[in-house]
Amino acid sequence: MPARIVSSRTDAEVALADAYGAAKTRLPGGEAVRHLRDDAFGIFAGAGLPHRRVEAWHYTDLRSLMREALPVAARPNGSSLGAINGELAGRPSFGGGRLVVVDGTFVPSLSDALPEGAGVRSLADVLSEGRPELIDLLAARDFGEGDAVLALNAAMMQDGVVIEIDPGAEIVEPIEIVYATASAQPAASFFRSLVVVGDGAKVRIAESSIGRGGRAGQTFGCLVFKVGDRAEVGHTAAITRSEAGSLRLDSFVADLGARAQFDSFALVDSEGLVRRQLFMRFSGDDAKAQLRGVSLCQGREHVDTTLDVVHRGLGCEGREHFRYILDDAATGVFQGRIRVEKQAQKTDGKMMSRALVLSDEASMHNKPELEIFADDVACGHGATVGSLNADQLFYLRARGLDKRSAESLLLEAFAGELADEVGHEGLVARFRAEIAHWLGERTKAGKGSGGSKG
Amino acid sequence: MLEVRDLIVSIAGNTILDGLNLTVRDGEVAAIMGPNGTGKSTLAYVIAGKEEYEVEGGEILVDGEDILAKSPDERAAAGVFLAFQYPVEIPGVGTMTFLRAALNAQRRARGEDELTTPAFMKRVNEAGAMLEIRKDFMKRALNVGFSGGEKKRMDILQMALLEPSVAILDETDSGLDIDAIRIVSEGVNKLRSAKRSFVLITHYQRLLNYIVPDTVHVMSGGRIVRTGGKELALELEQSGYRDFAPHSAAQPAAE
């Protein structure tokens, strides 16, 4: 959809323009970066916040859902960092190194050194240093073209981490990126991170969030992966336990080299509005990628997963599998666009979306799209929306499980099955625990279809 | 002991069970035979508490207690066990997780302590060995990727663990080869006890060569129309169910 001139700007759009105007001279980066920011903000200003007439945002009308733009978070101070440090101390670490980003700012003093073969610097440093090849990767210009939210993130990016994995390096344990909220008042943060994985390297990146208070903020995040030839990359994201009223817009970009293997899983169990948009391109030949996700939604949550996958290389294999559990008056959105370019022969693609709707007021919008320009491919997609399987429920109850326990077991299985494929025991255990926590809260709240009778 | 008295059951307005009476004493193995569509599986499901059936009249007593007002899980805790004609696959639910959840749920419902892990493992291993269930099956999701015979064996393993007082086997022989029938039957025979009532629902006499019943009931038109000893099954094998079809003269006159 072409950029539209928006005649009357909303309060949020005006506030974002003011914020950019006030921040642009202080934001990191030299002349080239300033141009990049101005160009990006131009895209945002021209299009405004995306609304339902923008096809990719049809089911998530950000223009009406985002009533206000919160002030940009200040740099974290000593006392707030102390609180974060306390919370981090209680979390088990996997030993692959933990990088902590507080209110959008990378804090080396809270972070670990990375294992041999991996290096990290702050985005601010990389932008100031101005190495053109890294700036180009960070800009990710040919992904999500025209997307106003991605552009806004590029214009406003404060900080983040830039991780480089040496060619051939094997990083055994996950490198964690932990996003923490320190600001006592709800605030906005804009962060962008880049992971450059050298040819033949192996690494796993695990994103998660912590923070006391202030979770009702607005986060505009972006993570860019540049995956070298024959590299094997795992990625997980836990988007969990934010507060009602929060807004989380995450963009994810992955550019895959030849014979690369890429595997990503995300768990969304978060209040407020969450949109994950994933832009992935199979640039080299014979690469394999799996994108999976589970969203657990209740209350008035709105959770949107939008995929834009491009097959350019020959013979690549793509698997996309997303599951939703929707309760109360929650809304789920799954949009998956797979584009197979003319030269991408022998593409093997399968996309699946499954939703369990537990309440009459919950809703699910599914929009799978295949655009195939090559003539020798095997691509398919499926989408189901339904309730729990009555035969399975009866089987479990006939063995003595009461209705709520039987439902919980089936829901846990539905969500846990995809988490189990993550391939790292510690991470699987974390996701399983998060799913069990969500189900436990649901049972405590007395939800589920009635009591033990039925 | 199972007592079914004057049971009338319909689904979507169609009467399936029409005043059925059946008593299975403690320690008794009763076979229920009869043509397709006569309500045998309905009887099994109604005893277990499946929801889509409407019970319009009658009683179902387990050890003297009416279970009709109970939910399926409460009936299980009261001692009812149904071995399904088609055991359900449940992806993502580990077999051991399920077995332990079911056993402990029933124990809790009866006011008993939950089993410790070693005690639970011992019982599962014993039952698994008796039914020749490979250990790696126990690590899979429940019934997922199991053959028909393996699913049936898994159901009988559950029966061994849950120790019901009334066990209903709904066409447990369907889809099984001779070896599987032998293994399943040996499992059932080991579970015969003076305190347990069995209801074997089957089309064919073949199963009754392996599990020899005390009584044989012929069901037709939603009722038990004839009752006899194990020789009745052999007679049916010769004559077929023709004489018991609902439209034939063998149907008792309506009261």
Side-chain angles (χ1 to χ4, degrees):
Chain A
M1 191 123 178
R4 300 176 68 256
I5 303 300
V6 176
S7 52
S8 64
R9 293 192 300 171
T10 65
D11 290 351
E13 287 164 348
V14 171
L16 286 166
D18 289 350
Y20 180 64
K24 63 190 273 187
T25 53
R26 285 183 283 111
L27 287 166
E31 191 62 22
V33 174
R34 270 199 294 281
H35 279 301
L36 187 161
R37 292 184 187 277
D38 281 341
D39 290 349
F41 198 80
I43 292 172
F44 172 75
L49 285 168
H51 48 81
R52 62 188 179 80
R53 288 191 305 281
V54 176
E55 200 186 338
W57 290 80
H58 180 72
Y59 300 105
T60 300
D61 188 342
L62 194 62
R63 198 162 183 233
S64 65
L65 291 167
M66 185 177 167
R67 293 293 168 83
E68 55 166 352
L70 295 173
V72 178
R75 288 186 75 86
N77 61 32
S79 68
S80 62
L81 290 182
I84 298 288
N85 203 12
E87 195 165 349
L88 283 170
R91 267 169 74 97
S93 168
F94 297 122
R98 187 157 61 190
L99 308 174
V100 182
V101 176
V102 181
D103 294 334
T105 301
F106 174 48
V107 182
S109 65
L110 292 180
S111 303
D112 303 327
L114 293 187
E116 204 184 321
V120 62
R121 284 178 302 154
S122 74
L123 176 86
D125 285 353
V126 169
L127 291 177
S128 301
E129 175 197 72
R131 253 166 68 195
E133 73 280 12
L134 283 181
I135 304 293
D136 268 0
L137 289 174
L138 274 162
R141 283 188 190 85
D142 46 352
F143 291 87
E145 263 173 274
D147 184 86
V149 166
L150 193 54
L152 181 64
N153 175 278
M156 295 286 290
M157 56 186 169
Q158 304 161 275
D159 201 7
V161 291
V162 174
I163 300 170
E164 290 178 89
I165 309 296
D166 296 343
E170 288 191 25
I171 314 296
V172 180
E173 289 297 329
I175 295 174
E176 289 191 78
I177 305 176
V178 179
Y179 302 104
T181 311
S183 169
Q185 298 300 318
S189 57
F190 297 83
F191 45 89
R192 183 171 285 222
S193 293
L194 170 68
V195 182
V196 183
V197 185
D199 291 348
K202 289 184 187 173
V203 70
R204 192 189 298 273
I205 305 288
E207 298 181 89
S208 61
S209 307
I210 59 164
R212 287 199 181 82
R215 286 171 188 258
Q218 297 176 337
T219 59
F220 298 78
C222 179
L223 176 62
V224 181
F225 272 97
K226 170 68 178 169
V227 180
D229 294 348
R230 301 177 316 282
E232 288 178 34
V233 177
H235 165 254
T236 58
I239 300 175
T240 54
R241 303 197 202 181
S242 59
E243 285 174 8
S246 64
L247 172 70
R248 179 148 178 170
L249 302 171
D250 270 19
S251 299
F252 176 93
V253 172
D255 187 8
L256 310 184
R259 279 181 283 153
Q261 294 191 35
F262 189 80
D263 184 298
S264 172
F265 172 80
L267 178 70
V268 178
D269 142 20
S270 190
E271 293 200 39
L273 168 63
V274 178
R275 159 126 166 166
R276 293 189 75 219
Q277 41 184 13
L278 296 90
F279 305 96
M280 182 167 76
R281 187 173 66 207
F282 292 90
S283 295
D285 298 341
D286 300 313
K288 287 185 180 182
Q290 303 200 56
L291 300 178
R292 291 184 305 266
V294 170
S295 301
L296 309 174
C297 320
Q298 57 189 340
R300 304 197 62 81
E301 288 166 32
H302 179 111
V303 179
D304 174 336
T305 306
T306 294
L307 311 183
D308 182 355
V309 176
V310 176
H311 282 266
R312 184 165 291 170
L314 274 173
C316 294
E317 184 187 286
R319 295 285 180 269
E320 296 84 22
H321 192 160
F322 287 80
R323 292 186 179 179
Y324 284 73
I325 297 177
L326 297 152
D327 204 352
D328 302 329
T331 303
V333 178
F334 175 77
Q335 305 185 105
R337 187 172 68 163
I338 313 281
R339 197 163 73 233
V340 181
E341 295 187 349
K342 201 170 175 185
Q343 70 275 26
Q345 300 293 2
K346 305 284 180 196
T347 289
D348 174 356
K350 281 197 184 71
M351 177 164 61
M352 184 73 195
S353 139
R354 293 178 64 191
L356 286 178
V357 179
L358 306 177
S359 143
D360 291 342
E361 287 174 80
S363 55
M364 178 72 200
H365 305 281
N366 262 311
K367 196 177 77 177
E369 277 178 279
L370 296 178
E371 291 178 9
I372 300 173
F373 299 98
D375 52 18
D376 182 15
V377 303
C379 289
H381 64 74
T384 63
V385 179
S387 47
L388 284 170
N389 180 304
D391 289 335
Q392 292 179 341
L393 272 176
F394 177 64
Y395 190 88
L396 294 175
R397 297 190 67 196
R399 294 295 176 259
L401 294 164
D402 65 35
K403 192 161 192 166
R404 273 188 203 146
S405 306
E407 282 181 353
S408 276
L409 197 61
L410 292 179
L411 292 173
E412 193 169 351
F414 179 78
E417 240 188 330
L418 292 189
D420 287 350
E421 293 173 24
V422 159
H424 181 278
E425 221 174 285
L427 284 169
V428 170
R430 265 196 204 172
F431 285 121
R432 279 279 186 175
E434 196 63 48
I435 292 165
H437 170 81
W438 188 85
L439 288 168
E441 294 291 309
R442 180 176 178 272
T443 308
K444 255 194 265 168
K447 291 183 200 162
S449 352
S452 65
K453 292 285 190 306
Chain B
M1 171 137 148
L2 172 70
E3 295 161 275
V4 180
R5 294 180 187 154
D6 300 320
L7 190 65
I8 301 173
V9 172
S10 66
I11 184 164
N14 296 318
T15 301
I16 313 278
L17 301 182
D18 192 8
L20 184 134
N21 285 285
L22 173 71
T23 298
V24 186
R25 285 167 286 118
D26 286 348
E28 179 179 336
V29 175
I32 296 187
M33 305 183 73
N36 281 322
T38 196
K40 300 190 300 295
S41 287
T42 297
L43 175 63
Y45 281 140
V46 169
I47 295 171
K50 203 169 188 191
E51 286 159 16
E52 65 241 41
Y53 298 96
E54 174 127 10
V55 177
E56 295 177 4
E59 290 178 313
I60 300 175
L61 308 178
V62 170
D63 299 329
E65 189 189 359
D66 192 345
I67 60 165
L68 273 178
K70 292 180 189 285
S71 64
D73 42 294
E74 290 166 344
R75 295 180 195 205
V80 174
F81 181 89
L82 170 63
F84 285 66
Q85 184 175 0
Y86 303 107
V88 180
E89 294 188 12
I90 308 192
V93 174
T95 298
M96 294 300 271
T97 306
F98 159 73
L99 292 175
R100 192 154 188 193
L103 185 59
N104 283 332
Q106 292 201 18
R107 292 179 71 94
R108 277 197 306 274
R110 291 194 293 258
E112 299 163 12
D113 287 341
E114 296 189 4
L115 279 187
T116 62
T117 303
F120 168 74
M121 291 303 297
K122 183 164 178 285
R123 290 193 41 193
V124 172
N125 288 337
E126 282 169 4
M130 175 181 82
L131 290 155
E132 300 178 33
I133 292 174
R134 287 191 356 230
K135 284 203 169 166
D136 57 313
F137 276 60
M138 309 303 285
K139 291 179 185 153
R140 296 196 200 169
L142 183 60
N143 289 330
V144 175
F146 288 28
S147 70
E150 286 156 356
K151 288 178 186 171
K152 299 287 172 86
R153 272 189 262 171
M154 183 54 71
D155 253 25
I156 303 303
L157 179 136
Q158 293 166 32
M159 182 166 84
L161 282 181
L162 298 172
E163 302 180 305
S165 56
V166 172
I168 303 153
L169 281 66
D170 187 9
E171 301 204 15
T172 289
D173 51 333
S174 72
L176 296 194
D177 60 30
I178 296 292
D179 290 334
I181 288 186
R182 178 187 55 77
I183 294 165
V184 166
S185 301
E186 284 173 4
V188 171
N189 285 331
K190 282 180 190 152
L191 296 172
R192 289 176 83 150
S193 96
K195 287 182 187 163
R196 186 165 295 144
S197 313
F198 276 94
V199 179
L200 297 183
I201 292 172
T202 181
H203 280 296
Y204 302 110
Q205 194 270 333
R206 185 177 62 173
L207 178 67
L208 307 182
N209 291 334
Y210 296 90
I211 309 172
V212 179
D214 301 302
T215 47
V216 174
H217 303 272
V218 180
M219 192 168 161
S220 180
R223 300 174 175 205
I224 302 295
V225 294
R226 191 166 161 197
T227 295
K230 62 185 179 213
E231 66 289 345
L232 177 55
L234 294 165
E235 191 185 310
L236 289 167
E237 190 78 355
Q238 297 296 319
S239 63
Y241 294 120
R242 199 180 47 235
D243 296 344
F244 299 102
H247 58 266
S248 78
Q251 188 188 19
E255 286 96 323

